[in-house]
Each structure stands twice: as C-alpha cells, then as structure tokens.
Amino acid sequence: MIKETIEITNKLGLHARASAKLSHLANSFQSDIYLVYHGDRVNAKSLLGILTLAASVGNPITIETDGKDEKEALNQIVNIFQSKFDEES
Amino acid sequence: MKLYTCLKPDAIIVDCKATNTESLLKELIHHLKMNNRISDEDYIYKKLMEREKMGSTSVGNHSAVPHARIKDIKDVIVAVGLSRNGIIYSEIDKEVSHFFVLILAPNSSPIVHLQVLAAAATLIKKPGKWLSELLECQHPSDVIHVIQNYEEDDE
C-alpha cells in the first residue's frame, strides 16, 4: 500500500460533480483506493462514500492505493485533485 | 450536520406525482413556491436542469440529490420528495429512484452545501429499511421522524 497526503485546493471542495469524477477515475483501477479525511476513511470507488466526507478547500486529504496498479492510481488521483477537477480556470 | 435538522414539513412531498426528472423538479419547486420558501420558480428550475445536464445527480441506492447554487437566498433550503412508483431519474444508470433530496444553497456558502450533501449521502448509504419506511409515510412530519431515527442511530 502506498499513500500521499495533499491539500484540497478547488474552492468548492468535494461537491457532487467533483466526487463523481473522482469515483469514476478510481473505478478505472484494479487497486483498492481509500480516502482519509479528518479521521474518516472511505472507499474512493463509492460516490456516496466520498460525499459523506464533506471535504472542503484548504484541508488535507490522504489517498491510499493498494494493488497491482497502485502507483498509477495514486498518481492519477493526486493529479485530478491538483487539476482542481478541471472546474476552475 | 443531520439532514432532519434542515427539513421543514412544508418542504416535503410524501407522494410525488411526477413521472420524469423534469416534472419531479417542477413539482418540488412549485411546492416550495406555494409555501413561500422561494420566489423565482423558473430561475431555480433552469439552474437545476443546467446542473443535471452537466451530469445526473442520481447517486445510486434509488436516490438523487438535485442541487444548485442560487443567488439571493439567505440560507440553504432543503426539500424532500418521495415517489412511490419511482421514476427513471438518470438515463445513464436507468435505476428507478424513489428518494429525492433537493438542495438550494446560497452562492456564498460552499461549506454548508457540502455538509447537507454529506448528510444526505450518509443516510442514503445506510443499509436497512429507511427507504421503505419513508415510502410508507403519510405525512411530512413522519418523514422527518423516520430520517431523525436513522440519523440518530449513528451516535
């Protein structure tokens, strides 16, 4: 298992559309992928799970990936956060 | 935050008549208008449909969370609709949806918006009979009680 902690930088946080993009991306990997936010740990492949976090801008979130494609999964999940889910130019 | 704390009986429809997404949103918004919770029905409908076109707010477990950020409202407005027959809310997942949590959030408060979404998701994610219990409710106040019971199970 590998993990990385980043800060949420998109101003709306993990709202519904960003969460849908994130769960869609997570589902494209074989690895198990979890998000840890303020002590809550959820499956990143579950849209409802992500939404329960109410994860907002300026807060740290940890991405854990575990499986054959864990490196690629971690890279791409970190990237989608850093690209602010393509919602801010 | 708990969903039941955001709910008022005048923002709940226990037996929606709508048969598709468009008519469901209109029915919920019209109900809010009749109870003086909102003013501009057409504007709010337009914002909600714009959001659905960017991607359905269907979240699985027979539920959807239509939402929009609305200028000129002071506090978040939450409405609940229950459809006994259910409707196909999303053409993508084709799942029959019965439970709808409509969220209208002020432009100024993205965090409150996230907290209401999180509260709705926490309920919708629960295993058990919350949905069948909600679909049996005859009165809006019963809906609030059922939701409160399930939400207080968390503590």
Side-chain angles (χ1 to χ4, degrees), chain A residues 11-17 46-49 51-52 54-56, chain B residues 51 54 59 61 67 69 110-111 114-115 117-118 121-122 124-125:
Chain A
K11 69 180 179 204
L12 298 176
L14 289 181
H15 63 105
R17 198 152 26 89
S46 160
L47 169 59
L48 283 168
L51 288 176
T52 64
S56 59
Chain B
R51 174 61 184 83
M54 290 195 291
V59 291
N61 289 8
H67 58 268
R69 278 180 293 279
I111 289 183
L114 284 179
Q115 287 171 338
L117 268 176
T122 302
I124 292 165
K125 210 167 156 279

Side-chain angles (χ1 to χ4, degrees), chain A residues 69-82:
Chain A
D69 51 4
E70 62 188 23
K71 276 188 185 164
E72 183 62 16
L74 187 61
N75 276 338
Q76 289 203 27
I77 302 274
V78 167
N79 277 342
I80 198 175
F81 275 97
Q82 287 174 343

Side-chain angles (χ1 to χ4, degrees), chain B residues 4 6 44 52 57 61 83 94-95 103 111-112 131 140 144 153:
Chain B
Y4 80 89
C6 309
I44 292 175
E52 294 299 329
T57 61
N61 289 8
S83 167
K94 302 277 186 198
E95 183 186 71
I103 305 165
I111 289 183
V112 175
L131 181 57
I144 298 177
D153 271 357

